[in-house]
């Protein structure tokens, strides 16, 4: 049974967490209803005052929503075990949704108990408690809507499936209903209520920084130079949770992928990355290398006498170098060679930490090839360097982290080509990296986990050595636009909201447009912008400190600047000319389009070519012009979509699942059209490995997955592990509780994240040092 990571918060919250685990759902609901009725009766007797009326109304609402929610949660929980990997791994989106709703109920239970005990006290903060109760009542209402959505998925989906498989118009209808729900309540006072208490201050800081940064961004102050000052201009967002929640909701719905790319790359700034590295382990080697685009050969695994040609990446931008970062706790043989030094690339004042040492350590028998996350659109190995240094120390093996090109400038399959090329180069030149290459592990998180699977699939298709194992932390294995119970959690997740996920997938699939940057920014490039921003940081700090004080004096009714009309931008071609000119796939044109998971599981190995010869852009075959599916209909668009909507029967419309009289809160923000792309490329197994045929998945080495129970991508891990298990492939799944997606980057934050990061290291160690056969 998976170990539960308990709260490291205050003693009162520890007791609350223990209570939530010891009380069953019905007991929690009944206790909450009893307290709500008592408080409702008390405040109803306090006269006609507005505050008393609102308090009585909020407790009446809590009673109504709790009684309406409990039966639906009970039905979901009664069948949730059918979707687990096994009895030892009780985890899937249905369980997570029930757990999240239960957390909200428990919080309201404790708040109701506090009100009942202190409502007569002269120190009772009426306004504060009323605001918190109203926020959590709204959250509970929205969670009730999600529970009905999950119940609808359960009733309409194929038995045992977490991802919806069926008419894409039904999916579009579902997502349309889902995305119009109000979300601001989850980003204000209720921010991160489902996570461990130690995470919540971090999430609050991120949310304040994001909305402040968004203000600069919408005023066309793009670039990283605004970041330092924006961190100090969020005073009013810190003291007004409702304002922060509303602005957060507006930002996540309306701003484009370039905003997220810029915001996530804040950690790439020299000063911030240096501060992060000061708290990490000290290593002897940390240097950036540039692998030249040179063709080389590798032996065929089945017949080492036959050589396979590995060509450099070509998709979209043509041949180009691939950047990698070598990290090693000890200076090992080969790492100070002239050949490796010739590949070094300067990073400025901290370009490398290689120091002279009288004696070198021998080459390690192991090597870890790491692929970072970031939604395919952001971050580099520098963002992940702090925990990679700890890995290098704990594992005693060199780590090669790949800095692949990012979307939307370099969409699929460029990142895959670069990661595959770097992996093959590392296998061939492991001696230069300080390893004998006896054991090689591929490791990655989020988007990097996706690339770990696809790199291994491509290595098997080429016939070259596959890694000895894969460790994937919270990986994305299904990029196709579809619904699942864990995806519903994106409504409240401040790190992975649905609109942001959609923008990242669209960018990776080639569906984003390029911004017309100023000529000076184009000339500078990202590295130049970072260098410029470092020089301006002290100025930003000075101005920002002043802005912080002034922000508390701003009037709440101050009018915002009107949004400028965006300039029409051309759509960038999402596929290179070379990829479009490729012949049909050996599996047949659009052979994977329209196949369900069940269909794919029935495809035998006979459908796989005997000689898998992939061109450099073979993953892009069948990449047709995506058809846009409008999942957020604006009023003026309704008439254009009415014909397609009429074809859907009443029983297929998701809102019909709501009982009579229940009306969840809808978003008050005007959101841009969120476009999901229905294209064969999204079903390509090199983009969505969950959709790979059995014959491809059977080529994978042992897989170790570490997932998060509250992650919108939990179902990706569960379904992928279930598919591998059904094929008798070696796979383990460990699910950590109460932590958000991306916990590896938060490894130093609290005990829970350190334990989760240690679990990832343990899984890698199983690959590098597999247990011997039982005696």
């Amino acid at each position: 049974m998976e170990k539960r990571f308990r709260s490291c918060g205050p003693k009162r919250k520890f007791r609350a967490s223990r209570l939530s685990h010891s009380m069953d759902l019905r007991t929690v609901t009944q206790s909450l209803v009893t307290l709500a009725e008592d408080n409702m009766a008390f405040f109803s007797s306090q006269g006609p005052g507005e505050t008393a009326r609102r308090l009585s109304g909020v407790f009446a609402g809590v009673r109504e929503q709790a009684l309406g929610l409990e039966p639906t949660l009970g039905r979901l929980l009664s069948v949730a075990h059918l979707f687990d990997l096994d009895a030892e791994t009780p985890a899937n989106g249905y369980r997570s949704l029930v757990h999240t709703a239960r957390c909200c109920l428990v919080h309201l239970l404790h708040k109701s108990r506090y009100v009942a005990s202190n409502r007569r006290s002269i120190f009772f903060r009426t306004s504060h408690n009323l605001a918190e109760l109203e926020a959590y009542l709204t959250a509970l209402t929205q969670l009730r809507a999600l529970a009905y959505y999950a119940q609808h998925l359960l009733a309409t989906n194929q038995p045992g499936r977490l991802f919806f498989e069926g008419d894409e118009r039904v999916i579009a209808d579902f997502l349309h209903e889902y995305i119009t729900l109000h979300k601001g309540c989850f980003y204000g006072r209720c921010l991160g209520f489902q996570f461990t208490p130690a995470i919540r201050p971090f999430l609050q800081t991120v949310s304040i920084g994001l909305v402040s940064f968004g203000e600069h961004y919408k005023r066309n102050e793009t670039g990283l130079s605004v970041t330092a000052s924006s961190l100090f201009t969020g005073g009013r967002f810190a003291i007004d949770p409702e304002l922060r929640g509303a602005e957060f909701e507006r930002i996540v719905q309306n701003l484009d992928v370039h905003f997220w790319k810029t915001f996530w790359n804040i950690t790439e700034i020299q000063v911030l990355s240096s501060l992060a590295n000061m708290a990490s382990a000290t290593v002897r080697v940390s240097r950036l290398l540039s692998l030249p685009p040179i063709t080389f050969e590798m032996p065929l695994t089945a017949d080492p006498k036959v050589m396979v040609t590995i060509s450099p990446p070509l998709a979209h931008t043509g041949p180009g170098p691939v950047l990698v970062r070598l990290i090693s706790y000890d200076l090992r043989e080969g790492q100070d060679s002239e050949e490796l030094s010739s590949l070094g690339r300067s990073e400025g004042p901290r370009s490398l930490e290689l120091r002279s040492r009288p004696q070198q350590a021998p080459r390690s028998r192991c090597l870890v090839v790491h692929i970072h996350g970031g939604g395919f659109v952001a971050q580099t190995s520098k963002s992940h360097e702090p925990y990679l240094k700890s890995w290098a120390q704990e594992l005693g093996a060199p780590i090669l982290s790949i800095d692949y090109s990012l979307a939307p400038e370099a969409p699929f399959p460029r990142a895959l080509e670069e990661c595959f090329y770097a992996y093959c180069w590392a296998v061939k030149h492991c001696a230069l990296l300080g390893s004998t290459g006896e054991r090689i592990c591929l490791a990655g998180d989020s988007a990097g986990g996706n690339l770990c699977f696809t790199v291994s699939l491509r290595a098997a298709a080429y016939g070259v050595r596959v890694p000895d194992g894969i460790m994937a932390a919270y990986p994305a294995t299904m990029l196709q636009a579809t619904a699942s119970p864990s995806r519903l959690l994106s409504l409240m997740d401040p790190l992975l909201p649905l609109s942001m996920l959609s923008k990242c997938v669209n960018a990776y699939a080639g569906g984003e447009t390029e911004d017309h940057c100023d000529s000076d920014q184009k000339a500078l490039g990202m590295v130049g912008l970072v260098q410029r921003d470092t020089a301006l940081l002290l100025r930003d700090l000075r101005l920002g400190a002043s802005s912080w004080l002034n922000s508390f004096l701003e009037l709440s009714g101050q009018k915002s600047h009107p949004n400028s009309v965006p300039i029409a931008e051309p759509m960038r071609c999402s596929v290179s000319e070379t990829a479009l000119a490729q012949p049909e796939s050996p599996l047949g044109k659009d052979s994977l389009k329209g196949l369900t998971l069940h269909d794919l599981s029935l495809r035998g190995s006979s459908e796989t070519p005997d000689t898998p010869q992939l061109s450099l852009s073979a993953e892009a075959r069948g990449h047709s012009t995506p058809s846009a599916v409008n999942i957020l209909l604006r009023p003026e668009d309704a008439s254009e979509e009415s014909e397609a909507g009429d074809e859907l029967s009443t029983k297929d419309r998701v809102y019909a699942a709501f009982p009579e009289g229940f009306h969840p809160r809808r978003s008050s923000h005007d959101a841009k059209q969120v476009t999901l792309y229905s294209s064969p490329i999204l079903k390509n197994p090199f983009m969505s490995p969950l959709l790979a045929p059995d014959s491809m998945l059977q080529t994978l080495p042992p897989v170790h997955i570490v997932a998060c129970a509250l992650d919108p991508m939990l179902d990706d891990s569960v379904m992928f592990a279930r598919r591998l298990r059904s094929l008798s492939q070696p796979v383990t799944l460990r699910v950590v509780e109460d932590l958000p997606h991306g916990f590896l980057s938060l490894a130093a934050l609290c005990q829970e994240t350190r334990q989760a990061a240690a679990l990832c290291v343990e899984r890698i160690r199983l690959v590098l040092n597999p247990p011997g056969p039982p005696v």
Side-chain angles (χ1 to χ4, degrees):
M1 184 69 65
E2 180 61 36
K3 178 181 178 181
R4 303 180 72 92
F5 294 138
R6 291 201 175 271
S7 166
C8 58
K11 188 176 294 185
R12 180 179 65 84
K13 292 192 175 182
F14 176 81
R15 288 197 298 266
S17 176
R18 182 171 57 192
L19 174 66
S20 68
H21 290 305
S22 62
M23 297 176 65
D24 59 46
L25 184 62
R26 178 162 297 182
T27 303
V28 170
T29 302
Q30 291 175 347
S31 300
L32 176 59
V33 168
T34 300
L35 282 168
E37 291 174 342
D38 178 66
N39 284 317
M40 183 173 56
F42 174 82
F43 289 109
S44 297
S45 64
Q46 296 303 300
E50 175 66 16
T51 301
R53 184 191 64 80
R54 289 174 62 186
L55 281 168
S56 177
V58 76
F59 281 111
V62 167
R63 178 186 182 278
E64 176 186 356
Q65 300 304 328
L67 288 174
L69 179 60
E70 192 268 334
T72 305
L73 295 181
R75 284 191 290 270
L76 294 177
L77 196 58
S78 67
V79 298
H81 66 280
L82 301 175
F83 301 89
D84 296 333
L85 173 65
D86 51 40
E88 287 71 34
T89 316
N92 59 71
Y94 291 114
R95 290 185 182 275
S96 298
L97 186 58
V98 172
H99 172 79
T100 303
R102 184 175 173 177
C103 287
C104 188
L105 289 170
V106 169
H107 184 92
L108 282 168
L109 174 63
H110 286 279
K111 177 57 64 174
S112 299
R113 187 171 292 157
Y114 172 83
V115 171
S117 301
N118 297 274
R119 61 198 179 193
R120 299 180 184 275
S121 172
I122 60 174
F123 299 106
F124 181 69
R125 296 191 297 166
T126 306
S127 298
H128 169 78
N129 287 285
L130 174 60
E132 186 170 354
L133 283 166
E134 289 179 335
Y136 274 90
L137 172 59
T138 304
L140 189 65
T141 304
Q142 303 305 88
L143 284 168
R144 185 180 172 188
L146 295 186
Y148 288 134
Y149 287 161
Q151 186 174 257
H152 179 79
L153 283 175
L154 188 63
T156 58
N157 204 5
Q158 296 184 25
R161 307 300 167 87
L162 289 172
F163 288 100
F164 182 83
E165 300 173 11
D167 193 336
E168 291 182 354
R169 295 172 301 174
V170 177
I171 297 177
D173 184 62
F174 176 89
L175 293 174
H176 163 241
E177 286 297 311
Y178 165 76
I179 204 170
T180 57
L181 287 177
H182 168 71
K183 312 166 190 63
C185 62
F186 295 112
Y187 305 141
R189 295 182 188 271
C190 305
L191 180 70
F193 74 93
Q194 69 272 38
F195 299 123
T196 182
I199 295 291
R200 296 171 197 170
F202 165 78
L203 294 178
Q204 183 174 3
T205 302
V206 170
S207 66
I208 294 172
L210 186 143
V211 296
S212 302
F213 184 78
E215 279 200 323
H216 290 275
Y217 190 88
K218 71 181 180 181
R219 295 169 186 166
N220 292 326
E221 298 181 19
T222 56
L224 297 179
S225 59
V226 301
T227 303
S229 61
S230 67
L231 294 177
F232 291 91
T233 57
R236 66 184 184 281
F237 296 121
I239 63 177
D240 190 340
E242 282 72 28
L243 176 64
R244 181 177 73 239
E247 180 67 7
F248 196 108
E249 180 179 6
R250 186 200 65 80
I251 286 175
V252 300
Q253 288 190 173
N254 291 322
L255 294 185
D256 58 19
V257 71
H258 299 279
F259 166 79
W260 294 103
K261 177 191 285 282
T262 306
F263 182 73
W264 285 343
N265 281 335
I266 288 175
T267 54
E268 303 288 320
I269 295 178
Q270 187 70 49
V271 172
L272 296 182
S273 63
S274 298
L275 290 175
N277 278 285
M278 288 175 60
S280 61
T282 302
V283 297
R284 301 296 298 180
V285 180
S286 178
R287 60 191 310 180
L288 191 64
L289 307 175
S290 178
L291 309 183
I294 300 174
T295 299
F296 58 89
E297 292 185 337
M298 292 185 65
L300 194 67
T301 303
D303 186 358
K305 296 180 181 180
V306 179
M307 304 303 290
V308 178
T309 300
I310 306 298
S311 300
L314 289 178
H316 303 291
T317 56
V322 180
L323 299 181
V324 296
R325 183 180 300 275
L326 175 62
I327 299 175
S328 180
Y329 182 72
D330 295 306
L331 176 62
R332 298 184 179 275
E333 294 180 14
Q335 294 177 344
D336 59 350
S337 64
E338 293 184 5
E339 184 176 356
L340 190 68
S341 298
S342 66
L343 303 177
R345 176 165 175 170
S346 175
E347 293 183 88
R350 60 174 297 275
S351 59
L352 56 97
E353 299 177 15
L354 181 61
R355 309 180 184 90
S356 59
R357 188 174 182 179
Q359 186 176 1
Q360 297 178 349
R363 290 186 175 91
S364 171
R365 57 186 292 271
C366 304
L367 175 67
V368 177
V369 178
H370 171 262
I371 307 177
H372 68 80
F376 302 102
V377 302
Q379 299 192 336
T380 67
S381 60
K382 181 182 290 187
S383 307
H384 298 250
E385 190 178 8
Y387 73 79
L388 290 179
K389 288 182 175 181
S390 299
W391 284 11
Q393 179 182 12
E394 295 178 41
L395 296 171
I399 298 175
L400 190 74
S401 185
I402 305 171
D403 283 342
Y404 53 91
S405 297
L406 302 172
E409 295 78 13
F412 179 86
R414 183 72 189 196
L416 173 58
E417 290 185 355
E418 292 185 355
C419 291
F420 176 69
Y421 181 82
Y423 165 76
C424 292
W425 186 92
V427 173
K428 184 177 179 65
H429 300 89
C430 57
L432 295 178
L433 304 176
S435 171
T436 62
E438 182 179 340
R439 301 288 298 181
I440 297 179
C441 177
L442 263 179
D445 68 306
S446 192
N450 174 289
L451 289 168
C452 285
F453 295 136
T454 55
V455 164
S456 185
L457 291 174
R458 196 173 193 195
Y462 267 78
V464 299
R465 175 182 176 179
V466 298
D468 296 288
I470 297 174
M471 192 292 294
Y474 37 89
T477 65
M478 168 66 92
L479 301 188
Q480 182 186 2
T482 188
S484 84
S486 76
R487 288 286 198 271
L488 296 175
L489 298 175
S490 63
L491 184 82
M492 69 197 77
D493 196 305
L495 301 180
L496 287 181
L498 176 65
S499 56
M500 183 271 292
L501 288 174
S502 174
K503 291 177 176 67
C504 291
V505 171
N506 289 350
Y508 187 49
E512 283 289 330
T513 57
E514 289 184 345
D515 286 343
H516 293 283
C517 303
D518 296 337
S519 58
D520 58 338
Q521 290 185 345
K522 286 184 178 180
L524 280 174
M526 180 59 70
V527 176
L529 286 172
V530 172
Q531 293 175 345
R532 180 198 65 186
D533 298 333
T534 303
L536 296 176
L537 180 61
L538 292 178
R539 186 205 66 180
D540 289 339
L541 292 174
R542 176 175 53 83
L543 297 177
S546 176
S547 299
W548 171 265
L549 296 176
N550 292 335
S551 65
F552 286 96
L553 303 179
E554 292 183 4
L555 297 176
S556 59
Q558 183 179 2
K559 296 183 178 179
S560 60
H561 295 277
N563 293 331
S564 58
V565 178
I567 301 175
E569 298 174 344
M571 179 68 73
R572 175 180 45 76
C573 179
S574 61
V575 184
S576 65
E577 296 293 333
T578 304
L580 286 174
Q582 294 293 337
E584 291 186 6
S585 167
L587 295 177
K589 184 177 181 180
D590 294 348
S591 60
L592 298 179
K593 185 177 181 181
L595 292 181
T596 65
L597 292 178
H598 179 67
D599 298 328
L600 290 167
S601 67
L602 296 178
R603 296 176 67 93
S605 59
S606 61
E607 299 182 37
T608 304
D610 294 333
T611 307
Q613 297 176 348
L614 296 184
S615 65
L616 292 171
S617 297
E619 289 78 8
R621 295 172 181 165
H623 191 318
S624 60
T625 303
S627 58
V629 178
N630 185 358
I631 66 168
L632 184 54
L633 302 181
R634 298 171 295 182
E636 60 269 27
D637 299 328
S639 60
E640 299 176 7
E641 301 290 336
S642 60
E643 181 178 354
D646 291 340
E647 298 177 7
L648 296 176
S649 61
T650 304
K651 67 178 181 180
D652 287 330
R653 300 199 65 83
V654 179
Y655 53 75
F658 291 162
E660 184 177 357
F662 174 71
H663 302 287
R665 185 173 174 183
R666 297 293 175 180
S667 177
S668 60
H669 292 279
D670 292 330
K672 293 181 180 179
Q673 175 176 323
V674 179
T675 303
L676 300 180
Y677 283 81
S678 176
S679 170
I681 196 172
L682 293 174
K683 297 183 179 181
N684 190 308
F686 289 100
M687 180 174 256
S688 296
L690 180 60
L691 299 179
D694 291 353
S695 56
M696 292 182 66
L697 294 181
Q698 288 171 338
T699 66
L700 287 176
V703 171
H704 303 281
I705 301 175
V706 179
C708 305
L710 301 179
D711 184 1
M713 292 184 179
L714 170 64
D715 289 339
D716 295 55
S717 297
V718 175
M719 286 302 297
F720 196 70
R722 288 177 59 186
R723 280 211 66 194
L724 293 178
R725 181 71 59 83
S726 69
L727 299 173
S728 300
Q729 287 289 106
V731 58
T732 66
L733 173 63
R734 296 293 181 268
V735 181
V736 299
E737 296 183 353
D738 304 330
L739 294 181
H741 184 94
F743 64 76
L744 277 176
S745 297
L746 311 176
L749 193 61
C750 65
Q751 181 182 357
E752 288 90 342
T753 54
R754 287 191 292 271
Q755 290 175 338
L759 181 59
C760 294
V761 174
E762 175 194 328
R763 300 290 98 180
I764 297 176
R765 191 174 284 117
L766 287 178
V767 175
L768 300 181
N769 302 289
V775 179

